[in-house]
Amino acid sequence: MIQFDNISFRYAHDIEVFRDLRLGIEAGEQILIVGPSGAGKSTFLKLLNGIVRPDSGDVMVGGLSTRKHPTSRLAAEVSVTFQNPAHQIFASTVLQEAEFAPKSLQRKNPRERAQEALRLFKLNEQAKSHPYDLSLAHRKLLTLASAVAADTPALAFDEPSVNLSRPEQLILLEAFEVLKKSGKTILIVSHDLELFLPICTRVLILDDGKATFFDAPEALVRNQNPLRHSGVRLPLVHRLRPYCGLSPIPHPGA
Amino acid sequence: MRFDVGEKLSLTLFLLLLSIVLPWHLNGVLFLLLVLFRYAFRPFRPVSDASRRRSSALASYLTIVVLLMTIVNGLLIKEGTLWPLPGGFTMSSEGVTFGLRTGMRLLVIAMSLLLFFGSTPIPRLAQFLQSVGWPVQMVMTLLLTLHFIDTVPDRVSLIFTAQEARGAPVRANILARTKAFFLILSPLLLSGIVESIDRSMALELRGFHGGAKLSFRGDETSRGRMTMVSMLFLILSILCIVWIILRWLLQ
Amino acid sequence: MAPSVSIRSLHYQYFDGAPFALKDLSVHIASGSCTALLGPSGAGKTTLLQILSGIIGAQFTTGKASGSVLIGDDEFRPIPQKVLFPSVGYLMQDASVQLSGIKETVEEELAFALDNMGIDGYERRERVSQALSRLDLGRLANRRPHQLSGGELQRTALASILVARPSLLVLDEPVNALDSLGQQRMVNVLRSLKSSTTVLFADSGIEFALAVADTFLVMQGGSILFSGTRNQFLNSLDSFYDLLPVNQWSELVRKWGKTTVHPRVAGLLPL
Amino acid sequence: MLQTRPTSGSFFILMTKTVREQFQLEIEGAGLPFVAFCIALNLSAGQLAAALKLPIYLDSVGTVLVAVLCGPWSAISAGVISNVLASAFGNPAMVFFAPVTAVIGGFTGFIASHGWFRRWYIVPLGGILQGALAAIASAPIAAYLFSGVMLAGTDVLVLYFRSVGNTLLQSVFFQGLSSDPVDKTITYILVFLLCRNLPIRLLQRFRGGNNLPHNKAMDRSYAL
């Protein structure tokens, strides 16, 4: 579904971000991407839809090469949502905002897709409100709903849980369960391991240009060196559970 | 001789008006004098290498444009003595002097503004304006503008990336690109309004009501006093204005 | 002396006809305490903090309020109508917006509040250097504010308020953008303020609160759902299941209660 | 109907108060940082238009926004500071066109406070009027100080008008008439679209909040 073939990339002021990165992500997987800030997590997302082109190697998304195809075409394969809702909310009603992606990708009946996505994130009552009449947490959910409305096979989110309080986290987890069942490939860049470890199929650690770990979350608990080396600590809760006779990572819906 | 902001400001005003009064060849001499000022005279040396790069790039760009203007005007305008050129074109003396007059004036204007802004960081200018009686809110606005000038362009590119990733037609036909223009300006304005509301609360929460004056780093030079030098330049500026009006009336 | 805060049946709407941001809210916050105001987004945490700082009374001229607010011995019926700076300090959620944005160094940023209070000369330098050392910003004193990291910005914003020596300090989600090191530093700062300043901070998580607060309030829909000590809060974690991120903690505490706990666990659990 | 703070009133009442008081009145609430933001917007609108390869320059979007949301006098100061900083950062001639932006800010603030931005069909009329006013104001400056040469594509138009026998002032004025109304109308329409449905929660923090239409249905759905 998504293939990175020995990608090397460096920004203008010569900090090397990636060096011969090579990995594959199957359709229907949920990948949690962690690593120290500045390790290129956001750049990784920008490589997915050609906003950033690699210096060498190629990224294939849904069989399309990001070198040959424009971002507008790749946006139909993978919908990338960035961290700050204020950088994308433009419309004067919640529904118009959610309708934007399906409309610009020429999907059939975009309004229904938008309403469906808003229902998934419990925003359907506020469909006619102005996005800035909602709380910041609900505006964040709106950006997630706008991406889901585009109905792309793959979805990539940069820090989807930031600004969300507990009720919105539960809505997010519920929505991701539904997306998982409908076979979507989901990539999540986040530092909130406590929230996403239970629901991801594999964890990718990006640390100074390389993928130092790419395996199931249980394997992460057994071998915590790559995590510790990347400066990210396993949440206190997961480290304590074994002492109380519990599995390190609770199964979803715990 | 320490030039403080007030003196440099009145000198710049005088130079701008002088460029309108002088004929083109004296303007040319004045331009060369100003270039010499920039390198020889300490208070006028550019403060940061960014302003140095900017001013030398602009100076060379303008010199080329002046030459271009002179030639184009010479060719197009038909008054005055016409010197035949190969290929049936005529170069009119009236056109050439017209091009040179405008070009030299533009060079002097550009150079005097570059001298002032290149060697005076905006905070020093704000400090001077406050000491000569500008309302504190206006001074705060000028300083806050500097902050937004640093942050707005980055936010524009972040919004550009976020909207393009969602399928915004940033590279399609002109109609679609105009729609994309709105798709980028709308989040920029909304985030600007929200930031303005938060910033106004933050200022009030730390006791800012436009009552007390703002303090600046190292309150040394500009006391806002009207020195002899700045008085001299202001008088000269008024003379220039009178000259311009008289010449316009008698024309 | 650090003031106590008591609020009696406070109602607040942002304008006539708007939904109630605060509904019949009554609470007492002890003097010198460090109180955590927990609750989901939209529960009214920020509204309550902004009312205590007086900014809502000053800037939201169309708001409708009833009830009474008592801060120390100043009584406000119903809410303060002007900013209570410098006696009440308010740290906003986004530290980069809290800084004035017009100052060229961190040290000048700290002095901004003192300019507005008309304090200068020796006392100004002394207060600034004290605030710098308290938040260990000493080596950043001459740095330009926009070169600072998230955590450093947060500490600079807090220092720029502490120079005014507020007796009541309210903070809106002080740690949700900080990494674990930044959170630990903020814990130390708030602990150093105990008993000399009454501290009230809003948070949508619980780990930071468990580490530093001695009184716990949980808000929902504009009113107080729970008020009590740390142990009372820990024992009723299950009742906040879908309000606060307690899920894995509550399961852990329930199990911990029943099994004999390994000594290392006792050390790790923030009890 | 929701009553925000009294609007900045008609232009003539403004004359009585000193400019300083009027400026302080207009930037009450969230006005002060917003004026600074809009000045930066004026300076970077051109960069965005270039990034999208659009032929428009729109360097007065910020000034019009301040005129609509704050008032005429703060729009005048926003326009003047924008021009001074523009000449500092690269285009030296702009400082001489500060009076033109003052006219733009003042006129827009005047018509905004009379509700011209409440209905979509009045906005283009305002744009055309504004464009004509800007052309009248900039013609003498461009003609006498710069002899019609502005280092921009439109210089060709001036030369054309001159070659068909108009005086310098006439040709600069005709060039202004051909481009300013279009540019100003686009700016006005853009500002109208940007501010069309701003929520009460944001509008009420600005002096000119009443100058804009706001959607009644929005009021009920309000939730912080």
Side-chain angles (χ1 to χ4, degrees):
Chain A
M1 170 63 189
I2 293 177
Q3 193 62 37
F4 277 67
D5 290 340
N6 40 51
I7 295 298
S8 296
F9 177 74
R10 150 204 322 269
Y11 276 108
H13 36 68
D14 73 26
I15 306 164
E16 185 157 61
V17 183
F18 292 122
R19 198 171 47 255
D20 304 333
L21 186 66
R22 159 179 281 284
L23 53 89
I25 297 170
E26 304 319 320
E29 280 203 278
Q30 282 75 46
I31 309 294
L32 173 61
I33 302 168
V34 295
S37 58
K41 301 198 290 283
S42 294
T43 313
F44 183 88
L45 295 185
K46 288 178 187 165
L47 284 167
L48 290 176
N49 60 5
I51 287 181
V52 158
R53 292 277 156 75
D55 300 340
S56 66
D58 194 1
V59 178
M60 309 291 290
V61 173
L64 303 175
S65 149
T66 58
R67 276 190 180 287
K68 298 193 194 62
H69 295 272
T71 302
S72 47
R73 175 67 188 83
L74 295 165
E77 296 303 320
V78 58
S79 167
V80 178
T81 308
F82 291 96
Q83 176 173 345
N84 190 341
H87 288 164
Q88 64 181 59
I89 290 179
F90 69 94
S92 46
T93 71
V94 165
L95 184 58
Q96 271 171 9
E97 182 70 33
E99 255 179 347
F100 168 70
K103 249 194 205 153
S104 49
L105 296 176
Q106 278 99 29
R107 300 284 195 224
K108 292 192 304 308
N109 41 58
R111 181 165 292 255
E112 286 71 24
R113 287 173 191 272
Q115 277 158 347
E116 177 54 30
L118 291 179
R119 241 190 314 282
L120 188 61
F121 286 90
K122 308 276 188 303
L123 290 171
N124 33 7
E125 289 100 26
Q126 286 115 337
K128 282 200 282 303
S129 320
H130 191 287
Y132 275 80
D133 270 336
L134 274 58
S135 69
L136 178 59
H138 285 90
R139 274 206 300 282
K140 180 75 174 185
L141 287 182
L142 175 56
T143 58
L144 306 181
S146 308
V148 167
D151 195 13
T152 51
L155 290 154
F157 298 102
D158 193 351
E159 295 288 2
S161 66
V162 157
N163 305 120
L164 297 188
S165 61
R166 187 57 189 167
E168 292 81 30
Q169 283 178 359
L170 293 176
I171 294 174
L172 174 77
L173 291 177
E174 225 175 276
F176 274 19
E177 271 313 301
V178 169
L179 293 171
K180 192 172 177 175
K181 285 197 183 59
S182 56
K184 298 280 184 187
T185 311
I186 304 175
L187 281 78
I188 303 163
V189 167
S190 177
H191 67 280
D192 194 341
L193 277 77
E194 195 173 330
L195 193 65
F196 292 116
L197 268 185
I199 67 162
C200 65
T201 56
R202 280 199 288 176
V203 178
L204 168 65
I205 302 181
L206 291 176
D207 200 354
D208 66 56
K210 297 193 296 305
T212 55
F213 178 91
F214 194 27
D215 200 341
E218 285 67 21
L220 186 69
V221 176
R222 281 196 304 277
N223 159 20
Q224 288 183 25
N225 304 351
L227 194 62
R228 197 168 298 119
H229 180 268
S230 75
V232 178
R233 281 173 63 218
L234 201 62
L236 191 57
V237 173
H238 297 172
R239 280 184 279 120
L240 289 177
R241 289 174 63 89
Y243 292 100
C244 301
L246 297 164
S247 68
I249 295 176
H251 51 76
Chain B
M1 166 95 132
R2 290 219 16 77
F3 248 73
D4 79 4
V5 178
E7 287 155 351
K8 273 199 271 186
L9 201 55
S10 37
L11 168 63
T12 310
L13 180 64
F14 169 55
L15 286 175
L16 292 181
L17 293 166
L18 195 60
S19 72
I20 300 162
V21 168
L22 293 181
W24 69 270
H25 36 278
L26 288 181
N27 259 336
V29 169
L30 181 58
F31 170 66
L32 296 176
L33 195 66
L34 291 178
V35 170
L36 184 68
F37 247 45
R38 175 165 175 280
Y39 290 104
F41 208 17
R42 244 203 63 67
F44 284 101
R45 205 159 291 134
V47 187
S48 67
D49 47 27
S51 61
R52 172 176 299 110
R53 267 200 317 282
R54 202 182 304 141
S55 55
S56 37
L58 195 65
S60 41
Y61 162 71
L62 281 178
T63 324
I64 300 162
V65 163
V66 164
L67 290 178
L68 247 177
M69 228 181 339
T70 317
I71 296 159
V72 164
N73 279 304
L75 292 172
L76 276 180
I77 290 166
K78 298 289 177 268
E79 296 112 17
T81 57
L82 299 171
W83 303 305
L85 290 171
F89 291 101
T90 58
M91 179 65 89
S92 94
S93 66
E94 182 28 35
V96 167
T97 46
F98 170 81
L100 279 175
R101 188 171 75 241
T102 320
M104 284 303 154
R105 178 179 301 158
L106 209 57
L107 279 181
V108 169
I109 289 171
M111 208 57 216
S112 37
L113 285 171
L114 281 173
L115 278 183
F116 178 75
F117 285 111
S119 61
T120 323
I122 305 277
R124 297 289 78 72
L125 173 63
Q127 182 177 356
F128 169 74
L129 292 175
Q130 174 175 271
S131 59
V132 291
W134 256 35
V136 176
Q137 281 100 339
M138 195 87 91
V139 176
M140 173 65 91
T141 307
L142 182 59
L143 290 169
L144 260 180
T145 302
L146 277 190
H147 162 74
F148 282 114
I149 284 172
D150 287 346
T151 51
V152 164
D154 306 338
R155 195 178 303 170
V156 166
S157 49
L158 279 172
I159 293 171
F160 188 99
T161 310
Q163 300 294 46
E164 187 181 14
R166 299 201 308 156
V170 288
R171 305 202 197 292
N173 58 62
I174 184 152
L175 208 57
R177 292 203 309 269
T178 319
K179 186 171 182 307
F181 193 73
F182 176 79
L183 292 175
I184 292 166
L185 269 185
S186 182
L188 187 63
L189 174 65
L190 287 166
S191 64
I193 286 178
V194 169
E195 182 176 355
S196 301
I197 291 170
D198 289 345
R199 277 194 176 279
S200 68
M201 277 165 56
L203 290 176
E204 205 164 336
L205 280 167
R206 287 205 284 161
F208 176 77
H209 307 290
K213 284 212 181 308
L214 297 174
S215 71
F216 287 85
R217 183 158 53 135
D219 263 349
E220 4 76 15
T221 54
S222 56
R223 277 283 155 282
R225 47 177 165 60
M226 182 63 79
T227 64
M228 277 306 301
V229 172
S230 34
M231 180 65 75
L232 168 69
F233 285 132
L234 287 181
I235 293 168
L236 288 174
S237 310
I238 293 161
L239 287 180
C240 288
I241 293 172
V242 167
W243 167 270
I244 294 168
I245 293 167
L246 280 181
R247 191 174 64 174
W248 187 54
L249 290 177
L250 303 178
Q251 203 175 23
Chain C
M1 231 291 278
S4 67
V5 175
S6 55
I7 300 170
R8 277 189 296 284
S9 61
L10 181 62
H11 295 262
Y12 188 77
Q13 294 168 286
Y14 275 93
F15 55 87
D16 201 4
F20 277 92
L22 296 182
K23 275 200 277 280
D24 191 16
L25 183 136
S26 298
V27 73
H28 177 75
I29 296 168
S31 150
S33 69
C34 178
T35 305
L37 183 62
L38 306 175
S41 140
K45 307 194 296 291
T46 302
T47 307
L48 178 60
L49 296 186
Q50 289 185 348
I51 283 178
L52 290 177
S53 67
I55 188 70
I56 277 199
Q59 283 221 354
F60 284 67
T61 54
T62 60
K64 294 270 173 300
S66 66
S68 78
V69 171
L70 184 69
I71 301 178
D73 39 32
D74 313 335
E75 170 113 34
F76 301 96
R77 283 200 180 288
I79 60 172
Q81 286 305 317
K82 69 175 183 47
V83 174
L84 299 181
F85 172 86
S87 61
V88 177
Y90 177 80
L91 182 70
M92 295 172 76
Q93 196 167 350
D94 181 353
S96 63
V97 160
Q98 172 117 39
L99 297 182
S100 67
I102 64 165
K103 294 297 181 183
E104 296 169 69
T105 64
V106 166
E107 203 170 2
E108 273 179 79
E109 190 63 56
L110 264 52
F112 178 63
L114 302 176
D115 293 341
N116 299 329
M117 293 159 66
I119 295 174
D120 51 21
Y122 170 73
E123 190 186 350
R124 174 182 143 111
R125 280 192 302 281
E126 204 265 335
R127 282 195 185 206
V128 166
S129 61
Q130 199 199 16
L132 280 173
S133 53
R134 160 166 278 183
L135 274 299
D136 73 67
L137 293 164
R139 52 184 174 70
L140 299 175
N142 291 321
R143 197 76 71 81
R144 300 180 73 82
H146 61 263
Q147 292 167 341
L148 301 177
S149 74
E152 289 160 348
L153 264 179
Q154 190 87 346
R155 296 205 319 271
T156 308
L158 184 53
S160 73
I161 291 167
L162 293 180
V163 285
R165 296 200 178 125
S167 50
L168 169 63
L169 176 65
V170 290
L171 309 95
D172 196 353
E173 307 248 0
V175 286
N176 74 2
L178 297 187
D179 55 23
S180 41
L181 178 65
Q183 291 196 19
Q184 191 50 45
R185 275 215 167 114
M186 194 55 92
V187 167
N188 301 337
V189 169
L190 292 194
R191 279 198 181 131
S192 72
L193 290 171
K194 258 190 186 148
S195 73
S196 68
T197 312
T198 309
V199 175
L200 172 68
F201 66 89
D203 203 338
S204 46
I206 64 166
E207 263 179 33
F208 177 69
L210 285 173
V212 75
D214 45 46
T215 326
F216 288 71
L217 305 174
V218 179
M219 270 185 81
Q220 185 189 21
S223 30
I224 301 284
L225 195 65
F226 165 90
S227 163
T229 65
R230 162 206 293 278
N231 283 349
Q232 288 165 340
F233 174 68
L234 274 175
N235 294 335
S236 46
L237 273 186
D238 292 350
S239 56
F240 309 130
Y241 178 76
D242 47 19
L243 285 180
L244 297 169
V246 298
N247 56 341
Q248 297 168 21
W249 281 100
S250 61
E251 192 179 3
L252 206 63
V253 170
R254 203 180 314 113
K255 274 285 188 311
W256 168 67
K258 294 189 181 62
T259 62
T260 55
V261 174
H262 191 285
R264 280 193 51 188
V265 169
L268 283 174
L269 268 182
L271 298 179
Chain D
M1 205 284 281
L2 170 83
Q3 179 49 40
T4 60
R5 268 192 290 279
T7 67
S8 49
S10 78
F11 199 74
F12 300 104
I13 301 173
L14 312 185
M15 289 305 194
T16 51
K17 293 198 182 64
T18 66
V19 175
R20 176 192 290 260
E21 275 160 27
Q22 193 51 41
F23 177 78
Q24 275 147 8
L25 209 62
E26 283 177 15
I27 54 159
E28 256 174 40
L32 190 147
F34 187 65
V35 170
F37 171 78
C38 285
I39 293 170
L41 199 60
N42 278 344
L43 297 175
S44 51
Q47 166 222 348
L48 177 57
L52 286 169
K53 298 189 196 55
L54 290 174
I56 44 177
Y57 189 54
L58 291 184
D59 57 0
S60 61
V61 174
T63 313
V64 173
L65 280 167
V66 169
V68 171
L69 283 172
C70 300
W73 291 98
S74 36
I76 290 171
S77 40
V80 168
I81 295 179
S82 300
N83 276 39
V84 169
L85 291 183
S87 64
F89 290 135
N91 184 350
M94 291 294 272
V95 68
F96 285 89
F97 287 93
V100 180
T101 49
V103 165
I104 291 174
F107 176 78
T108 315
F110 173 62
I111 63 172
S113 61
H114 285 74
W116 279 41
F117 275 82
R118 285 219 185 89
R119 299 289 175 282
W120 63 269
Y121 42 84
I122 307 176
V123 170
L125 178 63
I128 294 160
L129 258 176
Q130 175 64 73
L133 215 58
I136 295 166
S138 55
I141 300 170
Y144 288 110
L145 296 192
F146 300 98
S147 318
V149 176
M150 286 315 299
L151 312 181
T154 52
D155 291 359
V156 174
L157 272 174
V158 177
L159 289 176
Y160 164 71
F161 285 124
R162 282 208 59 187
S163 57
V164 297
N166 293 311
T167 70
L168 181 60
L169 180 62
Q170 284 164 343
S171 12
V172 169
F173 177 57
F174 291 146
Q175 178 266 322
L177 267 189
S178 65
S179 63
D180 274 340
V182 172
D183 175 73
K184 292 298 172 288
T185 307
I186 294 175
T187 308
Y188 268 44
I189 292 172
L190 191 61
V191 166
F192 178 77
L193 291 175
L194 287 168
C195 301
R196 200 153 38 116
N197 277 330
L198 287 179
I200 301 279
R201 192 164 70 93
L202 303 182
L203 280 180
Q204 68 179 8
R205 311 299 293 282
F206 290 94
R207 198 89 181 103
N210 271 356
N211 294 341
L212 286 167
H214 46 261
N215 182 330
K216 294 295 166 300
M218 303 255 174
D219 301 355
R220 301 289 78 71
S221 63
Y222 172 86
L224 183 66

